[in-house]
Amino acid sequence: MGTVKMEYLYFLANATLTLRIIEHLEKMPYLFGSSITVIHQIDGWIIRIKLPYILTDQQDGDFTAFLNELGLIYN
């Protein structure tokens, strides 16, 4: 796949929100080639999205806003 250029790591409360993000990734052409890791925990889900390229500022802002609506940044 190549070198990871961008990465997003979020905590989500339930599986429905996790599936919404996965469906969004499938529909957005600028997110093509991304890899997703999903980890289930007792209190929610952690999702990591890696992109092999840099998004434009607009694309990054739109995607981050979408992720922020559904979950919280996970550290």
Side-chain angles (χ1 to χ4, degrees):
M1 180 172 202
T3 305
V4 174
K5 300 291 184 181
M6 295 189 85
E7 183 173 298
Y8 301 88
L9 189 62
Y10 275 78
F11 176 82
L12 306 164
N14 58 54
T16 302
L17 297 174
T18 304
L19 290 172
R20 282 187 62 196
I21 290 176
I22 293 169
E23 289 169 357
H24 184 76
L25 287 170
E26 291 174 341
K27 293 177 186 174
M28 296 291 102
Y30 64 83
L31 297 174
F32 180 77
S34 59
S35 68
I36 307 165
T37 304
V38 179
I39 300 170
H40 177 254
Q41 295 186 318
I42 292 172
D43 59 345
W45 299 76
I46 298 170
I47 187 165
R48 180 176 65 184
I49 302 159
K50 292 191 218 178
L51 302 176
Y53 44 83
I54 303 280
L55 297 179
T56 66
D57 289 340
Q58 180 69 46
Q59 291 169 335
D60 178 53
D62 291 347
F63 189 51
T64 301
F66 174 74
L67 293 172
N68 286 335
E69 287 180 17
L70 301 179
L72 303 169
I73 295 173
Y74 186 82
N75 292 323

